[in-house]
């Protein structure tokens, strides 16, 4: 499967607009690494999406970027 992790503006649903960054999550477990240098300070949602679609596999995590 081509699962992927996407970072979205806080409060936005996956598929409801533009993601700010994403990484492929090709294994069934593990981690992904993001370069958050291009993200503005603030809160974001992080979604795990199924097989190159916007079908969400988990509830969003909240990510806070500070500088």
């Amino acid at each position: 499967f081509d699962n992927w992790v996407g970072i979205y503006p806080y409060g936005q649903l996956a598929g409801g607009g533009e993601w700010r960054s994403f990484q492929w999550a090709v294994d069934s477990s593990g981690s992904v690494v993001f370069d958050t240098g291009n993200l503005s300070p603030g809160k974001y949602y992080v979604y795990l999406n199924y097989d190159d679609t916007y079908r969400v596999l988990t509830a969003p995590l909240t990510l806070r970027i500070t500088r």
Side-chain angles (χ1 to χ4, degrees), residues 23-40:
Q23 292 290 326
W24 295 109
V26 295
D27 294 323
S28 60
S29 66
S31 61
V32 293
V33 177
F34 285 90
D35 177 2
T36 59
N38 62 339
L39 296 175
S40 299

Side-chain angles (χ1 to χ4, degrees), residues 4-5 15-16 19-20 26-29 33-34 42 44-45 47-48 50 52-53 55-57 63-64 66-67:
W4 58 286
V5 178
W19 45 263
R20 298 297 184 250
V26 295
D27 294 323
S28 60
S29 66
V33 177
F34 285 90
Y44 296 86
Y45 273 164
Y47 287 100
L48 174 60
Y50 177 72
D52 201 17
T53 70
R55 180 174 165 207
V56 176
L57 293 174
L63 169 67
R64 181 182 299 272
T66 60
R67 304 269 187 254

Side-chain angles (χ1 to χ4, degrees), residues 4-9 12 15-23 39 49 54:
W4 58 286
V5 178
I7 298 176
Y8 293 83
Q12 182 175 307
E18 290 292 318
W19 45 263
R20 298 297 184 250
S21 185
F22 86 95
Q23 292 290 326
L39 296 175
N49 299 293
Y54 290 102

